[in-house]
Amino acid sequence: MSEPLTGTPLPADHPLATTDPARSTVGSPLVTAFRGGTPSRIPVWFMRQAGRSLPEYREVRQGIGMLESCLKPELASEITLQPVRRHDVDAAIFFSDIVVPLRLAGVDVDIVPGTGPVLGQAVRTAADVAALPELTDESLEPIREAVRRTVAELGSTPLIGFAGAPFTVAAYMVEGGPSRDHLGPRTMMHADPETWNALATWAADTAGAFLRAQIEAGASAGQLFDSWAGSLSLDDYQQYVQPHSAHAFSHVRDLVDGSGQPVPLVHFGTGTSEILPAMRDAGASVMGVDYRLPLGEAHRRLGATPGPDGRGTVPLQGNIDPALLSAPWEVLEAHVREVVEAGRVAPGHVVNLGHGVPPTTDPTVLTRIVDLIHSIQP
Ligand code: CP3
């Protein structure tokens, strides 16, 4: 699978490029599994592992707004590290949010507790899109600073950077806030495709710059969250969304590590069973699978339709059902073991939840899951 050295090399002191064994993430279980190799232990991390399930998180967040916390490098770094210290997970996920780059660009957006991202003004017309501010490179400095602080503490544990995919971010922008069926953006792509494409292009460039800043500053992998892509038909996904997600990935696809290997890129959404191969074709090297689709079936669907580069199956990430986190331990343990066994069909498997940690989760259960997974032979 080795690719020629044609990409843009990461800085020599980057965790994927350094020769210092105490800081290198190349041989880590996460990066090894993401690249389809056999890791020294089965890697696991949890989406939303940094958050309200942790008392230490609630403590440091007191009196500080969500987006404000994301823009304080010292605090964002501390929150990113909390679940790694507590659970011994195999990766940190950068504490930020899919709307942070919007705020950095100057869009009037906030995160309302219990609701989610809310914009001062919805973006619905060609003029609204044309008036969107550009995300400048300088404005990303608090992000780079938080990433540098975090990787300095993480040693050989990789940090995963992320961004919101164009559809999911544009869905918030068109609706002006969270919605159930994402009717606004789904109408716009058919009723006014030109405006839709302009908005999705803006969202792709903004996400791409946000992700690139994290990877260049020290993240060892990148994940694109298209949480709401499952509301799309396959046709709509292919015509109106996939090219924009591919464009977002294109911002980081050239980056290569010390041996010329590309940085692992994960693509995740929920309810994506029918569009999984189309999402893979947007350019990820690893596919996230939500809890609705058994990993064996995800593997079959991906393998049955080789991507544009002729690759068949890809490494998978997922897919413990978050609902089972509050089931009796015996039930949860059996489920986790099932997920681990099912993942063995894929060239690599990183265990995760099929969506984020619910805020009501007992954090000791998460630690117990990590211990269980680490006790199973890779
Ligand atoms: O461990 C991690 O995964 C932390 C980093 C992270 C956050 N948001 C922190 C956060 C990541 C990767 C995200 C991505 C994100 N944000 C997505 C995609 C992933 C997904 O869950 O589907 C989406 C759709 C958002 C938008 C968003 N931000 C929502 C819907 C909410 C919840 C609002 C609420 O209060 O119910 C947020 C806020 C948010 N983002 C929190 C965290 C920890 C909660 C803030 C708090 O503690 O009050």
Side-chain angles (χ1 to χ4, degrees):
M1 267 228 340
S2 78
E3 299 197 0
L5 252 174
T6 52
T8 310
L10 291 163
D13 63 347
H14 188 283
L16 283 176
T18 179
T19 52
D20 176 358
R23 293 188 56 251
S24 172
T25 56
V26 170
S28 65
L30 182 94
V31 172
T32 302
F34 273 168
R35 288 178 167 168
T38 304
S40 55
R41 68 183 192 187
I42 299 174
V44 54
W45 67 278
F46 304 107
M47 290 183 276
R48 290 277 173 89
Q49 63 190 13
R52 278 174 291 179
S53 68
L54 300 184
E56 59 269 37
Y57 169 81
R58 297 194 297 266
E59 169 82 31
V60 297
R61 274 287 319 280
Q62 269 182 35
I64 311 176
M66 173 63 194
L67 290 183
E68 288 63 40
S69 317
C70 295
L71 298 176
K72 290 179 187 289
E74 203 177 337
L75 183 57
S77 174
E78 164 60 21
I79 295 174
T80 303
L81 294 164
Q82 284 178 344
V84 182
R85 289 189 203 116
R86 180 191 266 261
H87 301 308
D88 189 27
V89 277
D90 294 280
I93 174 90
F94 183 52
F95 180 76
S96 195
D97 195 85
I98 59 171
V99 297
V100 164
L102 275 62
R103 167 69 76 89
L104 289 173
V107 173
D108 177 10
V109 61
D110 210 346
I111 293 184
V112 177
T115 300
V118 175
L119 277 82
Q121 259 186 320
V123 180
R124 296 199 176 138
T125 66
D128 293 342
V129 176
L132 287 170
E134 291 251 330
L135 177 64
T136 64
D137 192 55
E138 310 83 75
S139 68
L140 288 162
E141 195 44 34
I143 302 303
R144 284 188 282 259
E145 167 71 12
V147 169
R148 283 192 292 264
R149 280 173 178 270
T150 307
V151 297
E153 297 287 324
L154 279 171
S156 59
T157 301
L159 173 71
I160 301 172
F162 76 92
F167 174 72
T168 290
V169 171
Y172 285 107
M173 296 176 77
V174 175
E175 299 281 359
S179 69
R180 211 183 150 71
D181 303 317
H182 318 297
L183 291 176
R186 293 197 296 113
T187 302
M188 190 198 266
M189 54 183 74
H190 290 275
D192 187 357
E194 212 171 305
T195 299
W196 166 258
N197 284 323
L199 172 59
T201 300
W202 183 90
D205 285 329
T206 304
F210 180 58
L211 189 56
R212 191 174 180 98
Q214 295 165 62
I215 295 176
E216 284 181 340
S220 295
Q223 177 159 330
L224 201 62
F225 282 89
D226 209 350
S227 300
W228 312 140
S231 70
L232 295 159
S233 67
L234 178 59
D235 277 357
D236 282 357
Y237 183 80
Q238 282 173 323
Q239 187 169 354
Y240 297 113
V241 173
Q242 188 203 58
H244 299 295
S245 296
H247 181 58
F249 275 129
S250 76
H251 279 262
V252 292
R253 274 183 76 89
D254 61 306
L255 296 170
V256 294
D257 73 7
S259 30
Q261 295 290 316
V263 176
L265 297 173
V266 188
H267 204 171
F268 170 80
T270 68
T272 56
S273 306
E274 300 309 318
I275 63 170
L276 211 57
M279 285 180 73
R280 182 270 318 274
D281 292 349
S285 59
V286 177
M287 284 308 301
V289 181
D290 87 349
Y291 59 89
R292 293 171 180 87
L293 192 66
L295 292 174
E297 179 58 16
H299 174 76
R300 194 192 65 75
R301 291 183 185 196
L302 290 165
T305 54
D309 56 2
R311 268 180 332 180
T313 54
V314 295
L316 301 178
Q317 179 175 279
N319 67 350
I320 297 170
D321 185 345
L324 270 69
L325 295 175
S326 35
W329 173 251
E330 296 69 30
V331 176
L332 176 57
E333 177 179 353
H335 174 60
V336 170
R337 288 184 183 277
E338 223 173 76
V339 166
V340 168
E341 289 316 307
R344 293 189 192 276
V345 297
H349 178 213
V350 171
V351 183
N352 204 307
L353 297 179
H355 201 177
V357 174
T360 49
T361 305
D362 172 357
T364 64
V365 170
L366 297 178
T367 311
R368 206 167 168 192
I369 294 175
V370 174
D371 289 344
L372 169 64
I373 291 165
H374 287 164
S375 76
I376 301 172
Q377 184 71 26

